[in-house]
Amino acid sequence: MLSQSCARHSIMLRHWSRNTGVTRSFRLGRVAQDATRPVQFASQSRVPLRQMIGLKSMPPAVSTPLDIAKGGVPALIYSQRRMTTASETIAPPPLGAFMRSLPKSVLPYAQLVRLDKPVGTWLLLWPCTWGITMAAYATNASLLDTAWMLSLFGVGSLIMRGAGCIINDLWDRNLDQKVERTAMRPIAAGLITPKQAIIYLGGQLTLGLGILLSLPIDCLALGASSLSLVATYPLFKRFTHYPQLMLAFTYNWGAMLGFPAMGVWDVPTMAALYASGICWTMVYDTIYAHQDKKDDVLAGIKSTALAWGENSKSVMAGFTVAQIALLTGAGVLNGMGPAFFMGVAWAAYRLASMIKNVHLDVPKDCWRWFVDNIKTGGFIFLGIFVDYLLKLFGLL
């Protein structure tokens, strides 16, 4: 709907007419210093920018994360949440020292795989560590073998989470432009083209294949079967309110894969651990979804946050009870020691506190509690690892 000259770094303006009561949406490209220049639409009509949006002057420009880091030309970015003539600017998140140190040409690719937001990598990694360490406990595996496998899965989690983000952003590049929090993702903002992203994805998947080939041969089929989940997860938010369930199936695959990676197939324990992780993901990703629920309604995006609404806390409490019961059952089946159950108890307390205290209508609070799940997953791993060490050194 815009000409090629305005397709890059697109933004959205909404203008409300007092006379008609109608709100009109305009998607604009990167705006030059002269706000009076005409904007070319597909209909070939030419409308002066100020006249089009009904403003006497343009609001001040707001720098994107890339502009802030590299001193580039600022872009105008506007919120779609309030249908008013007073445009609200989106405050771009600050970049850490590592991201600021990257070359300008590399930075969008680092943002595409969320190197600036490692929480997703940790949440993908923790179920892997649970499965690996519980299998090591059951088989009395050496510390060196266990450390090696944990390292492989750590690198694999970083790579495959990045690949998943690229796939997600390719599918959602048009939807992301309609949601305030995601509008400046590199593909949606035009910093990376879909073709460039696909080439980058090919490199990520090649590295992931290298990690998979480093595992025992009987891991290949189980590991490769998760790719169908990774590729299709983003589609589910379009036709079901339960895309979180598909994400849960995907994110906890490593809980099962960790067992054969250590040379053991204990299907009952694997299934209980996997189901526990699914319940955990349903809770933390629902909290995550509550950040965007206002924009999601406008964009037509579905989620458990919208499906459960005011009942979200009650439903999440039920999933947490199921998570702890299944996790405890996995520990019993695997013959775990006291440290494991202490870790599970502490995780249960943390999850209960999260559900009680999170303010689901405050996006910043949702993000804070979502990130806090890194520690919860870590405490579960710590309990398993302590039991493994105690047994390894003959103390259990």
Side-chain angles (χ1 to χ4, degrees):
M1 302 155 13
L2 289 179
S3 67
Q4 186 175 1
S5 63
C6 289
R8 190 172 176 83
H9 311 300
S10 63
I11 61 174
M12 174 74 79
L13 296 181
R14 288 196 171 207
H15 175 244
W16 177 69
S17 171
R18 292 181 180 272
N19 297 327
T20 64
V22 175
T23 299
R24 294 185 178 182
S25 299
F26 304 94
R27 187 168 300 284
L28 308 178
R30 193 157 207 152
V31 181
Q33 295 290 336
D34 181 7
T36 62
R37 68 176 176 84
V39 178
Q40 183 72 46
F41 290 87
S43 63
Q44 302 303 315
S45 63
R46 299 178 67 84
V47 184
L49 183 57
R50 287 178 181 169
Q51 178 182 339
M52 180 186 70
I53 61 176
L55 296 177
K56 294 181 179 180
S57 62
M58 292 299 297
V62 179
S63 297
T64 67
L66 182 62
D67 297 325
I68 290 174
K70 303 301 178 183
V73 180
L76 290 170
I77 311 162
Y78 295 92
S79 169
Q80 300 175 67
R81 284 193 176 171
R82 297 179 181 86
M83 297 182 182
T84 66
T85 54
S87 297
E88 177 190 352
T89 59
I90 301 174
L95 296 177
F98 171 72
M99 298 295 285
R100 290 197 303 269
S101 69
L102 296 175
K104 186 175 181 178
S105 59
V106 174
L107 182 59
Y109 291 92
Q111 291 176 315
L112 180 59
V113 295
R114 315 290 197 271
L115 287 184
D116 54 334
K117 297 177 181 178
V119 55
T121 301
W122 283 110
L123 295 177
L124 179 62
L125 175 61
W126 284 135
C128 302
T129 67
W130 304 344
I132 291 168
T133 315
M134 288 181 74
Y137 174 91
T139 59
N140 288 317
S142 70
L143 189 59
L144 183 62
D145 289 343
T146 303
W148 169 247
M149 201 56 62
L150 289 171
S151 300
L152 278 180
F153 273 73
V155 175
S157 295
L158 180 64
I159 292 170
M160 293 310 299
R161 191 260 179 146
C165 289
I166 298 172
I167 293 171
N168 180 80
D169 289 6
L170 283 168
W171 281 117
D172 290 352
R173 59 186 182 272
N174 295 324
L175 291 177
D176 283 345
Q177 294 173 349
K178 301 176 182 179
V179 178
E180 178 179 317
R181 185 180 56 82
T182 61
M184 283 310 298
R185 286 179 175 173
I187 299 177
L191 300 174
I192 295 175
T193 67
K195 181 179 179 180
Q196 291 170 327
I198 291 171
I199 294 172
Y200 189 27
L201 174 62
Q204 294 283 107
L205 293 177
T206 300
L207 292 174
L209 178 61
I211 295 294
L212 185 59
L213 293 176
S214 301
L215 303 179
I217 191 67
D218 54 348
C219 293
L220 294 180
L222 182 61
S225 60
S226 66
L227 291 177
S228 60
L229 299 176
V230 175
T232 58
Y233 151 70
L235 297 175
F236 283 78
K237 69 189 72 167
R238 290 161 169 79
F239 58 84
T240 176
H241 280 94
Y242 293 90
Q244 280 70 30
L245 184 60
M246 183 57 60
L247 180 71
F249 290 151
T250 307
Y251 250 57
N252 293 281
W253 205 257
M256 295 190 294
L257 191 60
F259 280 81
M262 296 300 294
V264 58
W265 283 85
D266 183 354
V267 175
T269 304
M270 292 163 61
L273 190 63
Y274 180 56
S276 173
I278 289 173
C279 293
W280 182 42
T281 303
M282 291 296 293
V283 173
Y284 70 64
D285 203 52
T286 295
I287 292 175
Y288 181 87
H290 270 278
Q291 295 179 102
D292 302 324
K293 57 189 175 185
K294 294 180 180 179
D295 285 349
D296 286 351
V297 171
L298 295 174
I301 298 172
K302 298 177 174 61
S303 71
T304 50
L306 296 178
W308 299 343
E310 295 181 357
N311 297 319
S312 290
K313 288 197 173 186
S314 298
V315 179
M316 290 190 296
F319 272 105
T320 297
V321 170
Q323 176 197 347
I324 297 304
L326 288 163
L327 189 56
T328 301
V332 171
L333 290 170
N334 206 52
M336 300 302 299
F340 169 84
F341 296 104
M342 290 174 62
V344 171
W346 183 243
Y349 169 76
R350 289 178 57 83
L351 290 167
S353 297
M354 175 182 70
I355 295 171
K356 177 182 178 181
N357 295 315
V358 63
H359 297 288
L360 295 177
D361 293 326
V362 181
K364 288 184 178 179
D365 201 54
C366 291
W367 175 258
R368 181 175 73 86
W369 285 104
F370 169 71
V371 172
D372 196 60
N373 281 274
I374 295 175
K375 296 179 181 178
T376 301
F379 281 119
I380 296 172
F381 167 69
L382 181 62
I384 301 170
F385 193 70
V386 168
D387 273 353
Y388 163 66
L389 291 178
L390 290 174
K391 185 177 181 183
L392 189 65
F393 292 107
L395 302 176
L396 187 62

